[in-house]
Amino acid sequence: MTQKEPLEELPAQYNPAETERELYKRWEAAGIFTANRSESSRSGGSDTPFVIVMPPPNVTAVLHMGHGLNNAVQDVITRWRRMSGDETLWVPGTDHAGIATQNVVEKLIARETGQTRFDLGREAFVARTTEFVEETGGAILQQLRAIGASCDWTRTAYTLSPELSHAVREAFVRLHEKKLIYRGHRVIHWCPRCLTSLSDEESEHSESTGKLYYVDYLLADGGTADRKAITVATTRPETILADVAIAVHPDDERNRRFVGLEVTLPVTGLRVPIIADEYVDPEFGTGALKITPAHDANDFEVGKRHKLAMPVVIDAEGRIQDPGDGAGRVPQSLLGLDRFEAREKMVEMIRAEGRMLKIDSHQHGVRHCYRCDTVVEPRLSDQWFIRMQPLAAPALAAVRDRKIRVMPERWEAVYINWLEGIRDWNISRQLWWGHRIPVWYCDPCKKEFASREDLTACPDCKGSVRQDPDVLDTWFSSWLWPFSTLGWPNEKSADLKAFYPTDDLITAPEILFFWVARMIMAGIEFMGEPPFHTVYLHGTVRDTNHVKMSKSLGNGIDPLDVVKLYGADALRFTAISGLGMGADVILDPADLEKSFAPGRNFATKLWNIGRFLLSRVGDSPVREISTIGSDELTRADAWILSRLNIAIEECDRALGPARPRDGTWTEEETRSGLRLSEYAESARRLVWNELADWYLESLKGRLQEEGDDREVARAVLVHAFDTALRLLHPIVPFVTEALWQRLPPGKARDMEFIAVSRWPKAMEVPARAAEFENVRNAVVALRQLRADYAIPPGKIIAANVVAKDSAAVYEQEASIIGRLSGTTVAVVDGPTSETSAHILLPDGSEILVPLAGVVDIVRECEKLRTELSQLDKQLTALTTRLGNENFTARAPASVVQAEREKHAEWSARKAQMEEKVRSLCGS
RNA sequence: GGGCGAGUAGCUCAGUUGGUUAGAGCGCCUGCCUUACACGCAGGAUGUCGGGGGUUCGAGUCCCUCCUCGCUCACCA
């Protein structure tokens, strides 16, 4: 494809595979995706750069359809803005993905050597992981090239690179200095498999059917005649071992008389007090709640309020342990048991004591680790937290004040809802893979120091220090992404100055809280303004049963397979066409052909338009469209130019404003743009239904003979195709580039690549473009008539036009009408006596098709009468409406006016048809 | 349980401030290998716009209600 061979020698079917690879190499080699920060490298560019930062895929990830869709969307937007003249930067990169990557490597090591990370030791494990990441990491970025992603690869970032690690440390220390980061002792979510704490977002609720156990706690003093015990409902009887109290609501009539007494725990017989706390819901269960401060976040709060002991009876791996408080909390038989086995065992023991009142089935939410799906254990421990409320307030304001628009709009409510209820963020992880927390402890001084530089000695006593062993939540580096990738915290960074804030953040809704909301908070906190103007949350890729595609479910599609079979353009076109605002993309993993044929077919269609064009237009230079006088243009020329204008306008509107005018979106703008499926449809319709189906077909006669008109036709054709290619380039970059490279020389090809050519603008078009509609109407009607009468495709028939007031149009366009409808067109004065079929055109003209022996008068009359009665019905409705004073008085004048015009038109047509029926059918 | 959204042709979806004859792609039916394209061309069929009620001159569009699905959050054990 690098050489230019005559297009007519090209195969009828476009072969994307080698073309795409070759073109991508040429784009990259030419450096056209590299953003130039000092000044626009292209003339006509806008002053404002356009910037997107890629949601960094996990460094160990392989490309799946979700990435395919996400990056296709980003690339469409990026290419559109690049062509619109913005200095464009799309920053690619990867995420070190703490837990995910550590899990992968742990499994790998286990498979290879049977060792655990503890066998290896921290240093060796991190070294091994680094090595693994270097081997496999970034493969996904290479794969993104295959789908055409026009990223600036010179700025590829990685969350664990030295630069970004520097940013992480700076961010931590600053927040620590502002006391927004603190160390807290409380119940957090703990994954007993990953052996780390998790944030609220990382422990996902899922509804499940469990059991609610009703257990009697005997009153220690023996109780009264009517009341020997207090019944407590619990879902986790194993935690009875760590119970330190029973709580009731202070106003609970039934129970408050027991406050201050004691009960004995089942199994262990330990005595605990009955306390009053408003947290208890007197309506639920028995109104009495067991308090287990170390194994339930709410109980912890209650425990703190009442200064209760907090024994821990479940260890890091989810096994029963003795808390070591000497209270004899755990029977020997339960020690070391898994928490779920222990639960069964406890139930048995409680039963054996006769204290299990009943067991109900119970629907409740259980939290699971988002990485390994293990049931999360609430665990009392020391962790680092970020105080979120001060960060959330301005992030809320940014969206409420429309500094940022969230699209589709409904996610805005979700965002606000979440931020309003935000709780502090647990950022420490008991992992080895990640950014080590930059805090050092001096044991003698009992002090801690957060530091930008590694500490080797205590700043106070000069004694030895030890660094906190934990690492930071992966998302602590991700939330800095829009500025850490641009050089922050280096204030002198030219990239940061030139490209922050970015424009669009394009991702899936799944990470709205994990990532998007936190980036907004970090952007405002560290950079003083929100990190982007638009958040676009696109749909999910699902199979035909609407199940999200995933490798583990086996319903995935490998984008690289699709690229290999049908081409990246096919993949992109299919994905973008299927992406309604807020809609999911449905694909059939069992039938790739069905899913991607529309995209492939469209690329082939473009390819064949290109073949036609080159074979007819040749290689010699064409006139520039602006040098052609309007009187030189045929109606067809004017028509296609007008269709170009409409398509350009539709595409512009669908893609919408790229950025707010003064930093704040108008309400209307928050709903405008990024309608990618509409953009794709407009461009597709232009190419297929207008350029190919009509203009090309109408043109065929004009390109044969040398002369001025041929030059005009060549010029318009090249211009139209050039415009269409430009409009489509963001969606199908490869085939458009391949074809554009072959356009004949001339003003059209003003750049080395279509990828950096100018986005089309509407141009002035002569009014007679509209007259071409008469041609189209005549052709369509004649084709219908042929089908009705089953006239053989090859047979040329006569078509006599009785023109109403545009005889000249039909005369001049007779050959086009004729060729497109298989007729010989003549303009005649009036009806003849021949037996004819009749066509009434919208403009009031009539076509008579003499079909002696074929035409069936009875049938013609039937058809006419049917049509007439339908028209009559509609006309009656219209007449009634216009006669309704309520309508004429209250409806807008423009609507009434339009209805009146329509009424006149329909009346005329009705009269004409009635006349026709009279003359043709008698009666 | 709280919040949000969706239900339009067999399937996937458009339908932008209410404006009258509700659209597209795929699929389906009929006829065509018409020298750019059969990955194509021409023609065609298909909708009680989830049910019910209301507002309005006019409702797929606004309001109420019910049904069904989905998303999201959640400290009633």
Side-chain angles (χ1 to χ4, degrees):
Chain A
M1 283 306 301
T2 42
Q3 308 309 306
K4 281 190 64 173
E5 67 268 31
L7 207 74
E8 60 267 38
E9 289 174 20
L10 293 174
Q13 281 177 15
Y14 168 60
N15 173 13
E18 52 184 306
T19 307
E20 292 182 349
R21 234 190 331 271
E22 180 65 30
L23 281 176
Y24 198 94
K25 266 191 231 156
R26 286 178 57 196
W27 285 332
E28 204 175 350
I32 58 171
F33 303 150
T34 304
N36 180 342
R37 62 183 165 243
S38 52
E39 61 197 282
S40 178
S41 56
R42 295 181 291 277
S43 58
S46 73
D47 296 336
T48 321
F50 184 83
V51 186
I52 292 181
V53 291
M54 175 188 293
N58 288 359
V59 67
T60 59
V62 285
L63 196 69
H64 57 59
M65 277 309 296
H67 298 121
L69 173 66
N70 176 241
N71 287 286
V73 172
Q74 293 178 76
D75 197 45
V76 168
I77 305 298
T78 301
R79 285 179 184 270
W80 164 57
R81 293 318 304 167
R82 185 179 291 118
M83 291 177 75
S84 299
D86 293 348
E87 189 59 43
T88 304
L89 171 60
W90 180 13
V91 181
T94 49
D95 194 304
H96 69 282
I99 305 184
T101 303
Q102 176 161 323
N103 282 351
V104 167
V105 176
E106 279 185 311
K107 271 184 210 152
L108 187 78
I109 294 170
R111 210 167 37 229
E112 282 174 352
T113 65
Q115 286 176 300
T116 68
R117 69 175 150 118
F118 301 103
D119 295 332
L120 232 62
R122 183 165 191 153
E123 210 170 310
F125 179 81
V126 170
R128 179 73 187 86
T129 307
T130 305
E131 190 187 313
F132 176 77
V133 159
E134 277 166 6
E135 275 165 30
T136 62
I140 191 166
L141 298 182
Q142 199 59 43
Q143 294 173 325
L144 284 177
R145 290 171 165 89
I147 63 165
S150 62
C151 312
D152 183 348
W153 301 107
T154 66
R155 289 179 167 89
T156 303
Y158 173 45
T159 52
L160 209 52
S161 70
E163 295 81 10
L164 270 68
S165 299
H166 180 54
V168 163
R169 194 172 273 201
E170 178 69 26
F172 186 99
V173 173
R174 283 198 200 177
L175 292 177
H176 189 267
E177 284 167 349
K178 289 180 78 171
K179 307 262 188 270
L180 289 175
I181 285 183
Y182 65 94
R183 192 139 173 89
H185 179 72
R186 67 180 68 156
V187 171
I188 44 78
H189 308 294
W190 178 268
C191 176
R193 201 218 62 85
C194 299
L195 298 179
T196 181
S197 67
L198 301 169
S199 64
D200 295 346
E201 291 69 39
E202 287 170 321
S203 56
E204 298 174 330
H205 266 277
S206 68
E207 193 77 11
S208 62
T209 308
K211 288 175 177 151
L212 191 59
Y213 303 88
Y214 289 79
V215 180
D216 274 349
Y217 287 48
L218 295 181
L219 285 159
D221 61 5
T224 56
D226 64 320
R227 197 70 180 268
K228 299 281 182 219
I230 294 193
T231 310
V232 170
T234 179
T235 54
R236 301 200 57 196
E238 72 278 16
T239 62
I240 288 174
L241 302 174
D243 280 359
V244 293
I246 281 182
V248 300
H249 196 275
D251 302 332
D252 182 351
E253 296 294 337
R254 292 177 300 169
N255 292 314
R256 66 177 179 195
R257 61 187 166 119
F258 301 111
V259 171
L261 301 178
E262 284 188 328
V263 292
T264 57
L265 299 185
V267 179
T268 62
L270 293 176
R271 291 166 76 116
V272 301
I274 299 167
I275 59 173
D277 195 286
E278 300 207 331
Y279 163 68
V280 182
D281 175 2
E283 304 301 317
F284 185 87
T286 60
L289 175 64
K290 69 192 223 36
I291 301 297
T292 320
H295 298 289
D296 182 286
N298 298 307
D299 291 8
F300 173 76
E301 296 301 325
V302 176
K304 265 206 312 201
R305 279 197 287 276
H306 296 269
K307 301 197 166 48
L308 301 170
M310 302 189 177
V312 176
V313 298
I314 297 173
D315 71 10
E317 294 176 54
R319 290 184 301 239
I320 302 298
Q321 67 170 14
D322 191 286
D325 57 1
R329 295 189 172 275
V330 181
Q332 200 63 33
S333 61
L334 295 178
L335 274 180
L337 280 188
D338 174 80
R339 52 197 165 140
F340 297 110
E341 294 173 38
R343 179 176 305 171
E344 298 306 315
K345 206 79 180 255
M346 274 297 282
V347 170
E348 280 171 35
M349 295 164 87
I350 296 166
R351 268 214 184 96
E353 291 179 359
R355 297 215 204 159
M356 185 68 74
L357 203 66
K358 62 169 175 172
I359 303 175
D360 280 354
S361 172
H362 182 59
Q363 284 283 328
H364 65 139
V366 176
R367 285 178 177 267
H368 296 257
C369 172
Y370 86 136
R371 281 299 161 201
C372 71
D373 208 40
T374 301
V375 173
V376 163
E377 185 62 37
R379 185 161 195 257
L380 184 60
S381 70
D382 289 311
Q383 302 289 343
W384 289 97
F385 294 89
I386 302 186
R387 224 180 286 286
M388 295 306 272
Q389 256 163 18
L391 300 176
L396 270 168
V399 168
R400 284 199 175 121
D401 301 345
R402 292 203 291 268
K403 301 278 188 251
I404 300 176
R405 60 173 181 174
V406 181
M407 300 177 76
E409 254 185 318
R410 62 191 185 87
W411 289 106
E412 186 180 310
V414 177
Y415 170 91
I416 287 171
N417 202 15
W418 183 76
L419 278 178
E420 283 178 341
I422 198 163
R423 288 182 295 171
D424 287 356
W425 175 17
N426 170 208
I427 52 168
S428 44
R429 297 289 172 276
Q430 289 63 51
L431 303 170
W432 290 350
W433 181 241
H435 302 92
R436 187 100 175 243
I437 289 175
V439 171
W440 284 260
Y441 302 98
C442 175
D443 291 327
C445 300
K446 293 203 164 39
K447 278 186 180 167
E448 62 182 43
F449 305 92
S451 170
R452 290 172 177 82
E453 305 301 327
D454 283 0
L455 289 187
T456 51
C458 173
D460 286 3
C461 72
K462 311 299 175 204
S464 65
V465 288
R466 58 182 174 86
Q467 186 174 4
D468 193 296
D470 291 349
V471 300
L472 288 162
D473 183 355
T474 287
W475 300 99
F476 190 92
S477 53
S478 312
W479 78 330
L480 312 174
W481 190 248
F483 44 93
S484 63
T485 54
L486 296 176
W488 188 88
N490 177 6
E491 307 292 342
K492 287 186 202 128
S493 162
D495 274 0
L496 198 59
K497 245 181 234 148
F499 299 125
Y500 189 92
T502 72
D503 289 284
D504 291 4
L505 192 283
I506 298 170
T507 190
E510 286 96 309
I511 52 176
L512 176 59
F513 306 139
F514 276 114
W515 192 47
V516 179
R518 286 173 181 157
M519 276 192 290
I520 294 172
M521 293 189 256
I524 297 170
E525 171 67 19
F526 296 111
M527 291 297 297
E529 61 180 317
F532 26 75
H533 301 117
T534 298
V535 173
Y536 176 42
L537 302 169
H538 60 245
T540 308
V541 184
R542 296 174 186 276
D543 68 17
T544 45
N545 297 319
H546 292 208
V547 176
K548 186 177 168 181
M549 278 192 186
S550 78
K551 211 159 92 181
S552 54
L553 287 176
N555 65 345
I557 292 176
D558 184 345
L560 297 180
D561 284 348
V562 177
V563 168
K564 212 182 297 167
L565 287 167
Y566 308 107
D569 288 335
L571 174 85
R572 297 165 61 115
F573 185 82
T574 297
I576 298 298
S577 302
L579 190 69
M581 179 57 75
D584 291 329
V585 176
I586 311 289
L587 298 171
D588 188 350
D591 192 348
L592 293 188
E593 165 85 17
K594 185 181 158 202
S595 298
F596 296 100
R600 176 204 55 190
N601 296 353
F602 183 59
T604 304
K605 186 71 181 180
L606 277 170
W607 181 254
N608 277 294
I609 294 169
R611 286 176 72 227
F612 170 84
L613 181 143
L614 262 259
S615 70
R616 305 303 168 95
V617 163
D619 247 359
S620 54
V622 293
R623 285 177 67 183
E624 211 247 305
I625 192 76
S626 63
T627 68
I628 295 173
S630 84
D631 52 348
E632 290 184 86
L633 297 170
T634 66
R635 288 187 185 85
D637 292 336
W639 179 81
I640 192 64
L641 294 177
S642 74
R643 301 314 299 180
L644 293 179
N645 284 351
I646 288 169
I648 292 166
E649 191 207 318
E650 286 178 350
C651 291
D652 282 343
R653 199 178 32 207
L655 287 164
R659 55 177 70 86
R661 239 178 289 277
D662 310 309
T664 303
W665 295 99
T666 66
E667 204 177 326
E668 194 198 342
E669 282 169 343
T670 61
R671 288 190 296 269
S672 308
L674 293 177
R675 295 164 181 263
L676 298 186
S677 59
E678 287 178 32
Y679 155 51
E681 174 53 24
S682 291
R684 191 207 65 84
R685 199 199 55 234
L686 171 71
V687 162
W688 206 313
N689 303 123
E690 291 162 358
L691 181 60
D693 289 350
W694 288 99
Y695 187 64
L696 243 58
E697 293 302 330
S698 80
L699 198 67
K700 283 179 174 170
R702 295 169 64 197
L703 292 167
Q704 312 294 351
E705 295 166 40
E706 303 264 331
D708 288 349
D709 183 56
R710 179 166 182 265
E711 288 313 303
V712 171
R714 287 180 77 227
V716 174
L717 177 57
V718 169
H719 172 76
F721 193 47
D722 173 48
T723 302
L725 289 178
R726 291 182 199 224
L727 285 177
L728 277 159
H729 179 258
I731 307 178
V732 283
F734 291 108
V735 70
T736 50
E737 184 72 85
L739 290 166
W740 200 75
Q741 292 292 326
R742 295 167 183 288
L743 289 180
K747 189 78 188 297
R749 273 184 49 205
D750 48 2
M751 285 284 165
E752 195 186 350
F753 297 102
I754 193 174
V756 288
S757 69
R758 275 292 85 82
W759 184 254
K761 281 196 175 71
M763 61 183 281
E764 193 115 2
V765 173
R768 67 181 179 287
E771 292 171 358
F772 191 70
E773 292 303 334
N774 289 335
V775 175
R776 300 211 312 151
N777 289 331
V779 169
V780 167
L782 284 164
R783 284 171 175 170
Q784 284 168 346
L785 184 137
R786 296 184 67 110
D788 276 354
Y789 283 107
I791 295 164
K795 186 177 164 85
I796 304 292
I797 54 177
N800 298 319
V801 179
V802 184
K804 184 141 182 261
D805 35 38
S806 39
V809 174
Y810 294 103
E811 255 161 45
Q812 286 158 21
E813 305 296 343
S815 73
I816 287 179
I817 296 170
R819 189 155 27 72
L820 297 188
S821 60
T823 59
T824 307
V825 176
V827 176
V828 298
D829 286 340
T832 61
S833 55
E834 278 176 291
T835 309
S836 301
H838 299 260
I839 295 169
L840 297 176
L841 293 172
D843 73 335
S845 300
E846 190 178 352
I847 306 180
L848 306 173
V849 182
L851 286 172
V854 177
V855 77
D856 175 348
I857 294 290
V858 176
R859 201 174 137 198
E860 279 288 290
C861 288
E862 228 170 78
K863 248 169 49 184
L864 276 169
R865 285 197 178 106
T866 310
E867 220 178 303
L868 185 58
S869 85
Q870 269 168 6
L871 180 63
D872 194 48
K873 223 160 65 188
Q874 284 157 9
L875 190 59
T876 307
L878 192 53
T879 308
T880 310
R881 194 175 310 136
L882 283 167
N884 182 343
E885 269 178 45
N886 274 323
F887 174 69
T888 49
R890 296 188 200 191
S894 61
V895 172
V896 176
Q897 179 59 21
E899 296 289 86
R900 290 217 165 97
E901 280 164 22
K902 202 186 302 177
H903 188 266
E905 201 182 299
W906 287 1
S907 301
R909 188 168 172 83
K910 187 190 167 193
Q912 193 185 10
M913 288 184 74
E914 278 168 346
E915 165 60 26
K916 179 71 10 195
V917 170
R918 239 192 322 278
S919 67
L920 196 67
C921 318
S923 81

